[in-house]
Amino acid sequence: MSATVGKNRTGNGNSTGNGNGNRNGNRNGNGNGNGSRAGDERAARPRADARAGVRRASAFLARRSLKAHRRSWGAVFTATTAAAALIGAFAFVVGSLLLAQPPVERYPGADAVVAGDQRVTYTAKPWGSEPKTATAYLPERVRLDRSLVAKAASARGVAKAVADDSVPVTVTVTDPGSGGAVADAAVAVGRSWTAAALTPYRLTDGHAPRTAGEVVIDGALAAATGSGTGSHVTLQFDGAPRSYTVSGIAGTGHRGGSPAVFLTEHHLAAVAGHPGTVDAIGVLAEEGVSTDALRASLGAALPDRARGDREVRVLTGAERGQAEHPDALGARNELLPLLASITGTVFMVALLVIATTISQAVHQRSGELALLRAVGATPRQLRSAVGREVSRVAGAAAVLGAVGAVPLGLLMRSLLTTDPLPLPVPVWLPFAATVTAGVLVALAARPVAVLAARAVTGLRPAAALGAAGAPEPGEPGRVRTVAGAVLALAGVSAAGAATAQGGQAAAVAASGAATSLIIAVALLGPWIARGATRVLGTPLRRAGGVSGFLADRSAAAHHRRLGAAITPIVLVVAFVCVQLAASSTLERAADRQAAAALRADLVVTGPAAGLPAGAARAVREAPGVEAATGVLRSGVVLAHREMGEPKLDRFPVLGVTADQLAGTLDPHITAGDPADLTGRGTVAVGEDRASDLDVGVGDSVELRLGDGTEVRLRVVALYERALGLGEFMLPREALAGHVAAPRDQLILVRSADGGAAPAVRRALAAYPGAQVRPATADDVRIAPPSSDQDNAMVVIGVGVIGGFALLAVVSTLSLITVGRRAEFRLLRTVGAGRRQVRRMLVLETGMVAVAGLTIGTLVAVIPLLAFAVSVTGSMPYLPPARYGALALAVAVAAGAGALWPGWSGGGRSVLGRRT
């Protein structure tokens, strides 16, 4: 029993001990866990306190620095604000252009419009890649087969389908005070009366036309001609003028569009000249049919393709305007790459300016940052302080610049908008553009500042104490030097590649060369400044005396600062020179070729609708006329490969009469005979284009005519003056069936004795609006010397971006001058007179301006020379007046940036009038 009791006790004891042990263990475990968490909290608290201390110290340093360096940060603020405004404005315009649609003027009353697809595609397999497809828009209207009208009318939910054709018509306006003599010719659009419901027009007086001799005119045309119901008007389509009876006057509540003349549907089809096809089909839906249901119903009733490879499109809503202006989207697609290229340049320029100004502002504080590091500030505190300063400045600048981007974007939009393609401004677009610009600028500023301060913040305190008073390093880092040298080599190589190419490829290569060289100059600025000092230092010392000596020594001791001053000037000079000289070179070469090609001494022009084909025949029969050829303008699309990539290029072309060509126009034939340029299957090709296509006389060229018709043409001649007359020249009869209206834009006339003008005017008496005047080179140029779009791009590319670059010059030089206050005081202390210091600053500014102009011109000349030689075969050209204006603008900007702060800013006590 004792054993049992003992055993039990032992068991109890063990049980108790174990239980206690477990409880104690649990308590110890809990204690250890709680102690561990408490230890972690105690360990984390100092780290959090340290981070908070760093933030407080950084915020304190940032606030004090912003107050102490207000003028330096003011220059950064100005440049950053302008950069944000410029980026936002271009984002605004690009977004508006992407959303642009032609206006709906003729079809507001139509629920849907059926039209041919204006797009053409070309698929090819580049080297070592998957097949790619290029897309382009056709310059002429793609018509539909007339049988589709009945198919559209049979679709479910369609109340009515109307064939809509339009033909240009010249309306004779008489002068009642001169016995009914012709006073002017108004241009209108001829349509069938059944199509009037698509706008809609409604009769306000009279009745609809019932015979071929009756017409209905709209109210605007009735007011212009003084016509009313029952009166007669003289209309001219593509033949002789004819008198019509006004059966009614129509009005519409929709504004816009050309004046309209309405004929019977049968008579309109006869005068239009294409009875088997229609321009478009307007569809009126039954009541209650939704747009989506109507589109689906028409899509099921109509074939996928019409007239070969052209698709049939059903347009609703804002898309209906595409049927009214078939080439509007083509113009947009040509403008978009150009504007995108300029936008990319803008972004590069803006980032370069921001980086330059911020880096210079931080660099000027290197001594201060080194001293803070020497007295115990940690690298993290300094980086955070600099980052906070820049973030505050850049954030405020981004907000102000984003606000300024809206009016600047609206101004640029007004320059690019046209009647066929107005640029919309949805409510969300200004906000999206400005936010994008602000975020980009704000995000770009802080990394630049931290990188600029890295050379000082990474030093040990002992080394920083020595760096605080050390002179400026004269050479850039190895990475920067190597990168600059590589970019310079790449720019020169790209320029060399441009000389072996032509057309758009040469332009792209030259643009890439200019960009690479500009960035290379920014990276190699100190080296370039050293070279400029060696070249300009001697004449500076000789011409400036003591001040010249001081200017030379100051420049020699501060290559980095001088390079930062030269870079924005190089940027503005190179960019503006490339933009202006490229267009001037092309225009000059085209003008010369067109002038050399012109053999006619007279030209006949007509109203906007053009001249009927019979006008050229009438001129040829006039006494004293040796030759006369009508000139029909259109366009073609060439499918080809460029560096393996599929490309579709649109080219404007001339349609001429071969047997009259020799007396009026000389394209400088180098092979073949232009007399063979007859029929519908021949073409003459520019010599350079023929070389690119590897074709000669007797070979074939595949083209798409303006309406998308694919043709294979036999080359009968090669000519040299393609810049002035276009890459291709076709017989008039080959183009006439593929344009909206086969009317000549002008008639070139060669007089036998130079006195045929009176006889030509008498011969054209039956053609209202025809004018006879001396011929000029602009009459035969394939493109006008200066279009509204070209002028707009010059204003945007040169005016806006050049103005921003000039502002960057002012900001950078102002920043540099403000940072030299201590230097100016030291010079005054050691005995330099105020006038000597002022003159030193003037001479330094002059050296910076001369060096920037010279280097910027050289940077521009390299790609321009390659572009001009490859495209025009001549030297680049820039009118002296334009270059002089550029040099003057640079000199004024440099003077304002460098001299004004010295007189009125931080250096008042040194250079100003006070003592």
Side-chain angles (χ1 to χ4, degrees), residues 533-617:
T533 302
R534 290 180 179 177
V535 173
L536 299 176
T538 301
L540 201 67
R541 291 193 302 271
R542 292 178 180 176
V546 174
S547 298
F549 174 80
L550 292 175
D552 176 49
R553 290 297 86 201
S554 176
H558 300 89
H559 291 147
R560 185 185 294 268
R561 184 179 71 194
L562 186 62
I566 291 174
T567 296
I569 298 180
V570 172
L571 173 65
V572 64
V573 172
F575 179 80
V576 173
C577 282
V578 168
Q579 294 295 319
L580 292 179
S583 59
S584 297
T585 301
L586 282 176
E587 284 190 10
R588 190 185 193 206
D591 282 339
R592 288 182 171 181
Q593 289 192 8
L598 184 62
R599 291 291 180 269
D601 58 333
L602 297 174
V603 64
V604 179
T605 60
L611 294 163
R617 292 192 295 268

Side-chain angles (χ1 to χ4, degrees), residues 230-388:
S231 61
H232 296 273
V233 292
T234 302
L235 307 180
Q236 185 177 49
F237 294 96
D238 195 30
R242 175 181 169 183
S243 179
Y244 289 81
T245 301
V246 178
S247 65
I249 307 296
T252 179
H254 297 276
R255 297 181 179 179
S258 302
V261 176
F262 297 98
L263 300 81
T264 63
E265 186 172 6
H266 179 75
H267 186 50
L268 180 70
V271 298
H274 50 88
T277 58
V278 296
D279 290 350
I281 303 171
V283 177
L284 303 177
E286 294 178 349
E287 186 175 354
V289 177
S290 66
T291 299
D292 292 338
L294 180 63
R295 181 192 289 269
S297 174
L298 288 169
L302 296 171
D304 293 335
R305 304 272 175 176
R307 299 193 65 216
D309 64 343
R310 300 271 65 76
E311 293 184 3
V312 175
R313 300 188 64 202
V314 178
L315 308 173
T316 59
E319 294 177 337
R320 293 171 296 174
Q322 297 178 23
E324 302 180 29
H325 307 278
D327 193 35
L329 294 185
R332 185 189 71 176
N333 275 24
E334 289 182 346
L335 183 59
L336 266 175
L338 182 60
L339 191 60
S341 174
I342 295 179
T343 302
T345 303
V346 165
F347 190 68
M348 183 271 293
V349 170
L351 290 183
L352 186 60
V353 168
I354 291 173
T356 300
T357 52
I358 292 178
S359 298
Q360 184 62 30
V362 174
H363 175 72
Q364 289 181 175
R365 296 178 51 208
S366 296
E368 174 188 327
L369 294 174
L371 184 59
L372 289 172
R373 180 75 180 102
V375 298
T378 66
R380 186 175 180 179
Q381 286 176 328
L382 293 179
R383 289 194 298 267
S384 179
V386 171
R388 283 173 179 266

